[in-house]
């Protein structure tokens, strides 16, 4: 084992001796796990070894053979230095599964998904005990309980999506594979009612994105009112000040036990307040209504969907195409294909269905108002052909006459700078805890602007665009006049 550890350290030196923190940033293991792998105190599992070797530029096939030889010499063919635990009570041991690659995308039920996860664990050579020990070495990403993992894998308990991806991470799943696991969780675990619009007058529960933001903001208020520092709060929930910071910013999920402990520490004794915050924690850990469309969603867009769903006013400026929330289905189909010409048909279909679902949800009673400013250039850009674009413009004219939708057209004769990207969205909320948010979609990512100074600049630009554009009451006439201009194709 000492020789194996020495070989790992030599490989790292040949790679320029990167720090373990830098190595951890390039894989899904913490720097402490990578450091221990080369320290000789514990024989590492193959997933840890492969991550270490890959980061240092080693040859995986050669190292796989070296790892197997060392494991066999140590009498641990699975790479685990602990005795395997006895079978859980009531569980019948089954013969080993055939050597198949774990593929969560083929799972259609919870049982099938957990079978795939158990297959991944077996391929990684990890016992349940070892899996839990590895999670304890990297507590920032979540500590697993052996009983809980066992119940998950037997499909006796519905797992949290973050726990499934955590197990896959510990078993050596790559970044791409983790996204596949997350999407499989969304597809399998999403409640059937998640995409059903509530009846008029029924309460509308916060989605996970907004619930995390609201809960985080209220926790920060209670912590500051009690005069407790972040590191003290982190110690109380067996974590760190950085974890408290991420919780207060709404960037992580919440455990009910942690919320209860923090509220007790902060001196929150009002039972109604505690119940309300625990309800938000429950909402924060649910799947979003968009879960059935997860396979077609970039990860940067999911937080926006949660914010959009809770907004009271959505203001949009668009210089290139009709905004998603105002598109017809055929225009949306053409726009998706233009954005990604190589997208497979099922992905195109899911993205179009998602846009239509967003429109339906925003049309619910009490839904947000949409206020869109379109550059006139949008009308001249025939997306999907002349007939499709004409019907889209006619649809815009009809929407402009509805009280819940405001549409303005910015004439080409009035040059007003609308920002370097030519498109952005401002979301406004009724909840006091949620400030305005500017969302800027980019080619492969997205930006959320929340700082007050930056927000005010975008709001000022948007106000100038609204003043320069035609009056909302004239929009329907402007659009129909455009269609009747000489030279504009009839589309027939």
């Amino acid at each position: 084992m000492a020789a194996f550890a020495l070989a790992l350290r030599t490989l790292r030196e040949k790679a320029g001796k990167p720090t373990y923190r830098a190595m951890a940033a390039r894989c899904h293991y913490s720097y402490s796990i990578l450091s221990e792998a080369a320290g000789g105190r514990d024989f590492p599992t193959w997933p840890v070894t492969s991550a270490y070797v890959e980061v240092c530029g080693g040859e995986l096939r050669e190292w796989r053979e070296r790892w197997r030889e060392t494991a066999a010499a140590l009498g641990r063919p699975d790479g685990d230095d602990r005795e395997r635990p006895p079978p859980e009570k009531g569980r019948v041991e089954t013969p080993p599964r055939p050597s198949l690659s774990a593929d969560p995308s083929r799972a259609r039920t919870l049982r099938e998904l957990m079978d795939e996860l158990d297959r991944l664990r077996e391929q990684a050579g990890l016992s349940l005990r070892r899996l839990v020990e590895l999670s304890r070495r990297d507590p920032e990403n979540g500590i697993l309980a052996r009983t809980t993992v066992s119940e998950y894998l037997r499909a006796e308990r519905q797992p949290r999506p973050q726990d499934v991806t955590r197990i896959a991470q510990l078993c050596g799943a790559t970044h791409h594979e983790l996204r596949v696991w997350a999407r499989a969780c969304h597809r399998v675990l999403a409640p059937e009612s998640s995409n059903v619009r509530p009846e008029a007058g029924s309460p509308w529960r916060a989605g996970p994105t907004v619930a995390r933001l609201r809960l985080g903001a209220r926790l920060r208020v209670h912590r500051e009112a009690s005069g407790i520092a972040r590191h003290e709060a982190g110690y109380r929930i067996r974590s760190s000040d950085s974890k408290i910071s991420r919780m207060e910013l709404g960037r992580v999920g919440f455990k009910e036990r942690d919320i209860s402990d923090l509220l007790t520490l902060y001196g929150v004794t009002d039972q109604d307040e505690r119940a309300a915050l625990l309800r938000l924690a429950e909402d924060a850990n649910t799947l979003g209504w968009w879960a059935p469309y997860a396979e077609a969603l970039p990860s940067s867009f999911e937080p926006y969907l949660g914010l959009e769903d809770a907004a009271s006013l959505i203001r949009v400026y668009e210089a290139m195409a009709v905004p998603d929330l105002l598109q017809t289905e055929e225009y949306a189909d053409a726009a998706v294909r233009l954005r990604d010409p190589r997208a497979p048909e099922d992905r195109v279909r899911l993205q179009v269905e998602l846009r239509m679902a967003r429109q339906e949800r925003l049309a619910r009673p009490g839904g947000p108002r949409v206020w869109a400013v379109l550059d006139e250039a949008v009308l001249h850009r025939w997306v999907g052909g002349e007939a499709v674009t004409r019907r889209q413009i006619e649809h815009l004219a009809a929407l402009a006459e509805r009280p819940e939708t405001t549409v303005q057209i910015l004439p080409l004769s009035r040059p007003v700078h609308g920002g370097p990207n030519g498109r952005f969205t401002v979301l406004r909320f009724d909840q006091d805890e949620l400030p305005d948010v500017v969302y800027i979609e980019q080619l492969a990512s997205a930006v959320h602007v929340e700082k007050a100074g930056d927000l005010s600049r975008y709001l000022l630009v948007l106000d100038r665009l609204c003043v320069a554009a035609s009056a909302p009451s004239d929009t329907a006439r402007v659009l129909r006049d455009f269609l009747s201009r000489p030279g504009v194709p009839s589309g027939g």
Side-chain angles (χ1 to χ4, degrees):
M1 188 165 67
F4 188 81
L6 177 60
L8 286 175
R9 292 196 296 272
T10 302
L11 177 66
R12 175 170 165 259
E13 289 175 1
K14 289 181 179 178
K17 207 170 183 179
T19 65
Y20 287 113
R21 288 187 183 276
M23 292 171 63
R26 296 175 57 190
C27 67
H28 288 280
Y29 290 101
S30 69
Y31 71 91
S32 60
I33 290 178
L34 296 175
S35 174
E36 289 177 9
R41 294 184 295 274
D42 189 12
F43 183 60
T45 62
W46 170 243
V48 173
T49 303
S50 63
Y52 189 109
V53 170
E54 193 170 9
V55 168
C56 292
E59 176 57 49
L60 284 178
R61 183 177 298 177
E62 173 190 335
W63 277 91
R64 177 69 171 176
E65 291 303 318
R66 183 179 297 183
W67 179 87
R68 282 176 174 165
E69 291 172 2
T70 307
L74 293 171
R76 294 188 228 114
D78 65 350
D80 194 342
D81 61 342
R82 300 289 193 274
E83 231 177 21
R84 288 189 176 275
E88 289 85 356
K89 200 174 214 177
R91 182 174 185 181
V92 178
E93 287 293 305
T94 58
R97 293 187 179 91
S99 179
L100 298 174
S101 296
D103 183 7
S105 63
R106 61 189 172 199
R108 292 294 177 268
T109 65
L110 177 60
R111 175 68 270 173
E112 292 175 357
L113 182 65
M114 292 301 97
D115 282 346
E116 296 296 333
L117 188 60
D118 206 15
R119 182 177 288 113
L120 180 66
R121 179 187 65 81
E122 290 180 355
Q123 290 172 348
L126 296 176
S127 66
L128 295 184
R129 183 182 299 178
R130 181 65 168 167
L131 195 65
V132 171
E133 287 174 354
L134 289 175
S135 74
R136 288 173 179 164
R137 295 181 185 180
D138 188 19
E140 286 294 317
N141 288 321
I143 298 176
L144 300 171
R146 181 167 172 266
T147 303
T148 302
V149 174
S150 177
E151 291 175 351
Y152 285 169
L153 297 180
R154 296 200 302 267
E156 295 175 356
R157 176 175 178 178
Q158 178 161 312
R160 300 188 309 167
Q162 57 265 42
D163 285 346
V164 173
T165 54
R166 175 66 169 143
I167 294 170
Q169 174 194 16
L170 293 171
C171 292
T174 64
H175 176 71
H176 170 72
E177 290 167 344
L178 288 176
R179 290 195 64 184
V180 174
W181 279 101
R183 288 170 176 170
C185 288
H186 288 162
R187 183 182 64 252
V188 172
L189 303 178
E192 294 181 359
S193 60
S194 63
N195 198 32
V196 178
R197 193 172 61 196
E199 298 295 330
S202 64
W204 188 259
R205 292 184 64 173
T209 305
V210 171
R212 285 197 297 267
L213 291 171
R214 292 183 62 192
L215 178 54
R218 289 167 74 170
L219 286 174
R220 183 176 63 252
V221 168
H222 285 305
R223 180 181 61 78
E224 292 175 348
S226 64
I228 293 174
R230 279 202 297 263
H231 71 272
E232 296 177 271
Y235 179 80
R236 180 60 177 264
I237 62 170
R238 302 153 295 280
S239 190
S240 63
D241 59 341
S242 62
K243 175 68 175 292
I244 297 297
S245 176
R246 292 197 299 273
M247 290 174 68
E248 292 180 352
L249 292 172
R251 294 176 181 170
V252 294
F254 298 88
K255 293 181 180 178
E256 184 177 337
R257 181 188 64 184
D258 290 345
I259 300 303
S260 181
D261 289 349
L262 287 175
L263 293 178
T264 300
L265 178 64
Y266 300 158
V268 180
T269 57
D270 183 273
Q271 292 304 311
D272 290 340
E273 174 70 358
R274 293 179 69 98
L277 295 184
L278 289 173
R279 171 66 176 273
L280 281 176
E282 180 184 345
D283 289 342
N285 291 324
T286 59
L287 295 170
W289 66 266
W290 53 87
Y293 309 99
E295 291 185 22
L297 276 178
S299 58
S300 59
F301 193 53
E302 293 188 33
Y304 171 79
L305 289 175
L307 294 172
E308 179 185 84
D309 206 45
S312 59
L313 174 63
I314 303 172
R315 300 181 67 183
V316 185
Y317 169 65
E318 179 61 75
M320 298 296 293
V322 175
D324 294 359
L325 297 178
L326 305 180
Q327 292 178 359
T328 62
E329 186 169 351
E330 57 184 353
Y331 185 97
D333 183 88
V336 169
R337 295 178 190 277
L338 278 174
R339 185 181 179 92
D340 187 0
R342 294 178 296 179
E345 282 298 319
D346 57 345
R347 185 179 179 87
V348 172
R349 176 182 54 78
L350 279 176
Q351 290 195 25
V352 173
E353 289 179 359
L354 173 62
R355 293 188 186 186
M356 298 302 104
R358 288 164 61 196
Q359 294 180 19
E360 290 177 7
R361 290 180 68 83
L362 296 182
R364 69 182 185 266
R369 286 185 55 231
V370 177
W371 185 353
V373 179
L374 278 65
D375 195 287
E376 187 182 338
V378 171
L379 308 180
H380 292 270
R381 193 166 288 111
W382 297 86
V383 176
E386 299 167 0
V388 170
T389 303
R390 281 191 69 91
R391 287 192 288 270
Q392 173 64 71
I393 295 174
E394 291 167 354
H395 180 65
L396 282 176
L399 289 176
E401 294 175 331
R402 297 180 183 177
E404 68 276 9
T405 306
T406 300
V407 181
Q408 292 183 264
I409 306 299
L410 180 65
L412 295 174
S413 59
R414 298 179 189 173
V416 179
H417 184 54
N421 293 320
R423 58 186 304 185
F424 62 91
T425 302
V426 178
L427 302 175
R428 179 160 293 173
F429 308 91
D430 287 336
Q431 295 90 344
D432 295 335
E433 305 97 333
L434 300 179
D436 292 350
V437 174
V438 174
Y439 174 79
I440 306 169
E441 185 177 359
Q442 299 175 334
L443 188 61
S445 61
V447 176
H448 291 78
V449 180
E450 300 176 4
K451 292 183 179 179
D454 295 336
L455 273 171
S456 61
R457 293 181 62 185
Y458 278 95
L459 290 172
L460 180 60
V461 168
L462 194 51
D463 288 342
R464 287 175 178 170
L465 291 167
C466 291
V467 170
S470 61
S473 57
D474 295 336
T475 298
R477 177 186 56 78
V478 169
L479 292 172
R480 292 180 177 122
D481 287 349
F482 173 81
L483 291 176
S484 62
R485 286 182 189 177
V488 174
S490 64

